Amino acid sequence: HPFAAILSCADSRVIPELVFDVGLGEIFVVRVAGNVANTCSAASLEYAIQHLDPKVNLLVVLGHEKCGAVTAALGGGDCGKNLNMLLAHLKPAVAKPSGNSDAAKLTSAIKKNAKLTTAQLRESSPAFARKTLEIVPAYYNLASGKVDFL
């Protein structure tokens, strides 16, 4: 009976059950590079918020420090058919990152991606517009283990 759903990056350093110190079955986790809300990941989240009993009332979009998918999107170029399709979802987040250094621009783009994905989910289906569902973006700091809710 999960109390929350997490859309997280597939990065092996980001394990939502460990990040949030919960046991197996306490959260419903969907992992995809860049915490992208594509058709399949969004459908999986819809399942969690519509069909689990009791219904999930919290959805966290969890970006993380040094995300490789966002780094690849910032770098541009041809990464191959499948990865290019995934990285296309990140274009709005990497369009104009703020910051003076490459590291600051990356962090800005990662946080922007979590916020944009949150907004995208809210607008993508009536299931995500349910008044009792809270959708929040977050940023996981790899070094400290701290989660910042944005």
Side-chain angles (χ1 to χ4, degrees):
H1 302 288
F3 65 88
I6 313 292
L7 174 57
S8 175
C9 186
D11 190 303
S12 63
R13 300 168 294 177
V14 182
I15 304 162
E17 292 83 357
L18 295 177
V19 169
F20 293 108
D21 192 26
V22 296
L24 295 176
E26 291 186 72
I27 56 176
F28 185 94
V29 177
V30 175
R31 295 177 67 173
V32 61
N35 44 279
V36 166
N38 60 23
T39 303
C40 292
S41 59
S44 295
L45 293 166
E46 280 187 44
Y47 169 78
I49 63 174
Q50 288 183 316
H51 298 288
L52 294 180
D53 186 26
K55 294 207 182 338
V56 169
N57 290 315
L58 174 63
L59 170 54
V60 177
V61 177
L62 184 64
H64 69 91
E65 181 179 15
K66 299 179 182 175
C67 180
V70 177
T71 300
L74 277 168
D78 185 2
C79 296
K81 178 185 173 188
N82 294 319
L83 188 51
N84 286 343
M85 286 178 28
L86 181 116
L87 296 179
H89 290 274
L90 301 172
K91 283 185 180 180
V94 301
K96 293 182 181 179
S98 60
N100 295 326
S101 67
D102 287 344
K105 288 178 181 176
L106 176 59
T107 299
S108 169
I110 292 166
K111 289 178 178 181
K112 186 175 179 183
N113 180 52
K115 291 175 185 177
L116 289 171
T117 300
T118 298
Q120 175 193 347
L121 284 169
R122 283 191 184 115
E123 297 169 6
S124 70
S125 164
F128 295 114
R130 190 180 75 205
K131 290 185 186 231
T132 58
L133 177 66
E134 186 173 2
I135 307 175
V136 295
Y139 177 83
Y140 176 59
N141 298 276
L142 294 173
S144 69
K146 181 182 173 196
V147 175
D148 298 319
F149 288 92
L150 308 174

